[in-house]
Amino acid sequence: MKVVLFGATGMVGQGVLRECLADPAVERVLSVVRRPSGPAHAKLAEIVHADFFDFSPIGGALTGWDACFFCLGVSSAGMTEAAYRRITYDVTLAAAAVLSERNPAMTFVYVSGAGTDSTARGRSMWARVKGQTENALLALPFSAFLFRPAIIVPMHGAVSKTRSYRIFYRLFRPVLPLARALFPGFVTTTEEVGRAMLEVAERGADKRILESRDIRELGRARTKRASLGPRRV
């Protein structure tokens, strides 16, 4: 399996990249970044592209891939709807349009969020924009799956680029295991997200919108699969 990854430097993307590199079913990973990020691995290639609103200049490099894991995103805090939509919707669809044209059989996994508004008409700005993005992805010719995690616990050194999230995890890390046990439908980990994406890319899922509980189950299924063999990073 050959995977394109967007958002590899963010918290979720760091976790997803780790799982891709550790999984023997993954042959190659292409990380698309705005500036060099530094990680080195035999499976990993990095392409630096400054304009995330137009991926047509690198269309050739985005051809011939089996899956795309789109982990790129920002917090809506303090942003206008137009600014948030430009990053959340415009960047995602700019990438998805090129990928779907070049790889119509591709599986595209998009990290959305719990509470996303599929009607795209609700009161919550971020939920509307995420809903518009999800709906547009579902209309493209590839197979799109939408991950809607709630709380994601960072593992294996993954760190959020958003200061408020870093503070949250620092303060609440001691109680997150208890919250995970009490509310399994709301708490997942970066490890489970990455493994769930790989499971969906390789085997599909019975629905297109996957909540935290679904993500956990898919991640566990990936972990238990005996044919995985040894995992390496």
Side-chain angles (χ1 to χ4, degrees):
M1 178 162 46
K2 295 183 290 186
V3 176
V4 180
L5 175 61
F6 287 81
T9 61
M11 185 188 81
V12 176
Q14 292 168 39
V16 171
L17 177 60
R18 181 186 187 276
E19 297 309 312
C20 286
L21 297 179
D23 197 306
V26 177
E27 175 187 350
R28 291 173 59 201
V29 180
L30 176 66
S31 175
V32 184
V33 294
R34 288 190 179 93
R35 58 188 66 87
S37 61
H41 192 281
K43 288 184 183 181
L44 179 63
E46 188 173 83
I47 184 167
V48 178
H49 181 67
D51 186 0
F52 267 39
F53 297 100
D54 181 11
F55 292 96
S56 57
I58 60 168
L62 298 178
T63 302
W65 299 89
D66 302 304
C68 174
F69 300 153
F70 201 92
C71 308
L72 185 66
V74 295
S75 168
S76 64
M79 298 185 73
T80 65
E81 182 164 352
Y84 183 68
R85 190 180 193 279
R86 181 161 169 76
I87 295 174
T88 301
Y89 182 95
D90 293 353
V91 170
T92 305
L93 269 294
V98 172
L99 287 166
S100 63
E101 179 183 0
R102 300 273 182 159
N103 312 277
M106 166 181 278
T107 297
F108 189 99
V109 183
Y110 175 65
V111 179
S112 185
T116 292
D117 178 11
S118 294
T119 71
R121 295 193 299 269
R123 298 179 117 184
S124 172
M125 179 272 280
W126 76 264
R128 284 197 307 273
V129 175
K130 285 282 192 180
Q132 292 165 5
T133 307
E134 287 188 352
N135 294 339
L137 290 172
L138 291 172
L140 291 172
F142 52 32
S143 296
F145 291 90
L146 313 169
F147 276 34
R148 291 184 177 181
I151 297 173
I152 304 176
V153 180
M155 296 183 66
H156 308 296
V159 178
S160 175
K161 296 173 74 174
T162 304
R163 183 174 180 272
S164 60
Y165 291 173
R166 292 197 302 272
I167 293 171
F168 170 84
Y169 289 121
R170 191 180 306 123
L171 292 175
F172 291 97
R173 182 175 287 278
V175 302
L176 286 176
L178 177 60
R180 181 172 161 81
L182 293 175
F183 307 103
F186 292 92
V187 184
T188 187
T189 69
T190 52
E191 181 179 272
E192 286 170 339
V193 171
R195 294 182 184 182
M197 286 187 175
L198 289 164
E199 186 71 0
V200 167
E202 190 170 68
R203 305 177 70 87
D206 58 4
K207 52 187 174 181
R208 295 298 184 92
I209 296 176
L210 301 160
E211 309 284 351
S212 289
R213 189 183 297 274
D214 305 311
I215 294 167
R216 287 186 68 176
E217 290 175 358
L218 287 163
R220 287 172 176 173
R222 191 72 182 176
T223 301
K224 292 176 182 177
R225 197 167 303 287
S227 61
L228 276 176
R231 296 170 61 83
R232 302 182 184 88
V233 174

